[in-house]
């Protein structure tokens, strides 16, 4: 924020005073939620609602009040908005999934400084763990008709996904202990591709993954609170209940992920990871056990991806290897870099911005262009019906992400919400005169 501008100074002063900031945050949330309820198809209204949640983060107010408002916004307002337009709830669920993934990768890349380009492999491991046993696919491996497992097993597999993905993280970490920088990136990239190729080809001689055809139908988590809903006279229509149910499950996983990240960041393990990131040789000289800490970083980061992978497979009901390509790893890495490496709020903001840009902004622009094209609108005598379909913005999402990363590296390399120490390092480093 440029303090030389009067408007910037006024906004900063307003945000720094608890009472005006709280009143403004509540007013913005109320007005934008009202706008979404009256214009349910307006992307602008929903984006303003999301911006008001971001404003809530920056507003200076007592932590209990900020926590209460955040819980009310995410726990009440967002489901209400989602019940008005189900697409918004789908976006919120997708944002939650990618926030958990970004927080997991943030441990490996941001805290420990280990560049991992195959992170999506752990996501795939978690997803296939539940997909195989939560569908009839396991009957082709073990014979009989004992599968799919009852939906109640989903919660056990949520924990199992954490364990299996953490084990895969240790398996990846063992051979790369001596590597760093570009060499580590290449090996992890190869690991991610190995998992995808295995998922693509493990359909013979024993059909584990059903190959490129994928696995479906995958059981969803049970609606264990159905008797309570019936007792209060509510008919639990799965089409209405499941989106809300999955949203709160994602919210719970994200909450646990943030809590674990906070605890780890402030622990001696987090300090050891930061020491390894800054100078591996110096960290080892100070007694940091490199092998154990690196394996812990890979296992901890992978475990979050495994849990989200189990939820992802249950939500989608269908998965195939195309859901876990190299570009997904790059997308999650872009979220971490955009928000600020090592920063928990930064990873959350980066995941939100990239997901909303991908699912809402670019696709919304494509739909708008299609509507103009189908309506035969002309601009300066040129009919939009002649506009090539190759120019749809949704087809250039990777290029847009690349441009964002380049611009970030040029103008704000520390990310949008960097950790304060890294921000000071870059700022002070830039201020030093060249020798």
């Amino acid at each position: 924020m440029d303090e030389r501008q009067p408007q910037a100074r006024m906004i900063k002063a307003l945000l720094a005073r608890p009472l005006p900031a709280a009143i403004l945050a509540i007013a913005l949330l109320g007005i934008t939620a009202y706008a979404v309820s009256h214009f349910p198809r307006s992307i602008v209204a929903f984006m303003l609602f999301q911006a008001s949640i971001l404003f809530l983060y920056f507003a200076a107010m007592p932590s209990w009040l900020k926590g209460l408002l955040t819980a009310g916004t995410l726990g009440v307002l967002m489901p209400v908005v989602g019940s008005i337009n189900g697409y918004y709830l789908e976006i919120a669920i997708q944002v939650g999934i990618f926030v958990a993934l970004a927080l997991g990768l943030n441990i490996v890349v941001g805290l420990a400084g280990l560049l991992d380009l195959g992170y999506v492999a752990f996501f795939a491991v978690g997803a296939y763990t539940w997909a195989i046993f939560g569908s009839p696919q396991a009957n082709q491996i073990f014979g009989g008709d004992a599968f799919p497992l009852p939906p109640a097993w989903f919660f056990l597999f949520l924990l199992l996904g954490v364990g299996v993905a953490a084990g895969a993280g240790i398996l990846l970490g063992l051979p790369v202990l001596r590597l760093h920088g570009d060499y580590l990136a290449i090996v992890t990239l190869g690991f991610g591709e190995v998992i995808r190729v295995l998922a693509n080809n493990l359909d013979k001689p024993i059909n584990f993954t059903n190959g490129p055809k994928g696995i479906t139908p995958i059981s969803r988590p049970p609606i264990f609170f159905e008797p309570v809903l019936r007792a209060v006279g509510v008919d639990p229509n799965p089409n209405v209940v499941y989106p809300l149910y999955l949203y709160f499950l994602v919210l719970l996983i994200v909450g646990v992920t943030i809590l674990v990240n906070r605890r780890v960041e402030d622990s001696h393990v987090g300090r050891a990871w930061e020491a390894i990131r800054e100078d591996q040789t110096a960290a080892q000289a100070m007694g940091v056990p490199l092998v154990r800490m690196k394996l812990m970083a890979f296992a901890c980061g992978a475990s979050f991806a495994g849990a989200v992978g189990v939820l992802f497979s249950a939500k989608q009901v269908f998965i195939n290897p195309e859901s876990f390509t190299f570009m997904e790893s790059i997308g999650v890495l872009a979220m971490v870099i955009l928000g600020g490496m090592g920063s928990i709020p930064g990873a959350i903001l980066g995941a939100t911005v990239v997901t909303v840009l991908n699912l809402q902004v670019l696709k919304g622009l494509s739909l708008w262009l299609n509507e103009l094209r189908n309506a035969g609108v002309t601009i300066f005598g040129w009919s939009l019906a002649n506009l090539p379909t190759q120019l749809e913005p949704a087809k250039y999402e990777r290029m847009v992400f690349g441009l964002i990363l380049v611009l970030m590296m040029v103008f704000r390399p520390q990310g949008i919400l960097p950790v304060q120490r890294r921000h000071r390092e870059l700022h002070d480093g830039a201020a030093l005169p060249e020798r």
Side-chain angles (χ1 to χ4, degrees), residues 36 39-42 78-90:
V36 172
F39 305 99
R41 290 176 60 84
S42 170
M78 189 62 233
V80 170
V81 167
S83 65
I84 296 169
N85 187 338
Y87 180 60
Y88 295 154
L89 202 58
E90 171 66 19

Side-chain angles (χ1 to χ4, degrees), residues 126 128-134 147 149-150 152-164 306-307 310:
Y128 271 96
T129 301
W130 173 240
I132 291 173
F133 294 97
F147 299 95
L149 292 172
W153 282 75
F154 168 82
F155 296 105
L156 179 63
F157 270 74
L158 207 56
L159 299 176
L160 193 62
V162 171
V164 172
V310 171

Side-chain angles (χ1 to χ4, degrees), residues 343-425:
S343 165
I344 295 173
I348 296 171
L349 181 63
T352 305
V353 169
V354 172
T355 308
V356 168
L357 184 67
N358 181 22
L359 293 181
Q360 199 174 358
V361 178
L362 295 179
K363 289 185 178 173
L365 283 174
S366 294
L367 289 173
W368 181 60
L369 274 179
N370 277 331
E371 287 177 2
L372 294 179
R373 184 188 294 127
N374 294 333
V377 174
T378 57
I379 298 177
F380 300 118
W382 188 72
S383 174
L384 286 180
N386 299 323
L387 189 70
T389 55
Q390 288 82 0
L391 294 180
E392 289 182 7
K395 294 182 178 177
Y396 292 89
E397 61 175 277
R398 301 301 176 190
M399 188 188 77
V400 172
F401 294 164
L403 281 174
I404 290 173
L405 289 181
V406 170
L407 292 174
M408 288 299 296
M409 289 301 104
V410 173
F411 296 107
R412 196 171 172 82
Q414 67 270 35
I416 300 174
L417 291 177
V419 286
Q420 289 303 314
R421 195 179 69 178
R422 184 166 177 77
H423 178 69
R424 285 196 299 271
E425 286 172 356

Side-chain angles (χ1 to χ4, degrees), residues 138-306:
N139 293 327
Q140 300 192 35
I141 303 170
F142 302 104
D145 57 354
F147 299 95
L149 292 172
W153 282 75
F154 168 82
F155 296 105
L156 179 63
F157 270 74
L158 207 56
L159 299 176
L160 193 62
V162 171
V164 172
I170 293 174
L171 279 179
L172 169 65
L174 282 173
V176 300
L177 286 172
R178 294 178 180 277
L179 302 178
H180 55 86
D182 299 342
Y183 300 104
L184 177 63
I186 291 169
V187 173
T188 53
L189 187 155
F191 176 77
E193 283 301 290
V194 165
I195 295 294
R196 188 185 64 81
V197 171
L198 281 176
N200 226 351
N201 293 283
L202 274 181
D203 56 343
K204 51 191 170 186
I206 302 174
N207 190 353
F208 284 97
T209 63
N210 209 26
K213 289 184 282 188
I215 299 175
T216 192
I218 303 168
S219 299
R220 286 182 158 185
I223 306 176
F224 60 87
F225 47 85
E226 183 176 349
V228 178
L229 292 179
R230 290 194 185 282
V232 297
V234 176
D235 180 24
N237 182 351
N239 294 329
V240 177
V241 172
Y242 261 119
L244 289 170
Y245 184 23
L246 290 171
Y247 169 74
F248 281 108
L249 269 178
V250 168
L251 207 58
L252 179 66
I253 291 177
V254 170
V256 171
T257 308
I258 293 173
L259 184 65
V260 172
N261 267 265
R262 282 286 184 207
R263 300 292 294 174
V264 167
E265 188 183 44
D266 297 332
S267 70
H268 72 281
V269 175
R271 303 289 182 195
W273 285 340
E274 289 183 0
I276 293 172
R277 181 191 66 195
E278 298 301 326
D279 192 324
Q280 182 172 304
T281 306
Q284 191 173 23
M286 294 301 292
V288 174
L290 289 185
V291 173
R292 195 169 64 192
M293 288 301 156
K294 283 187 176 182
L295 290 181
M296 280 184 67
F298 276 115
C300 193
S303 61
F304 296 128

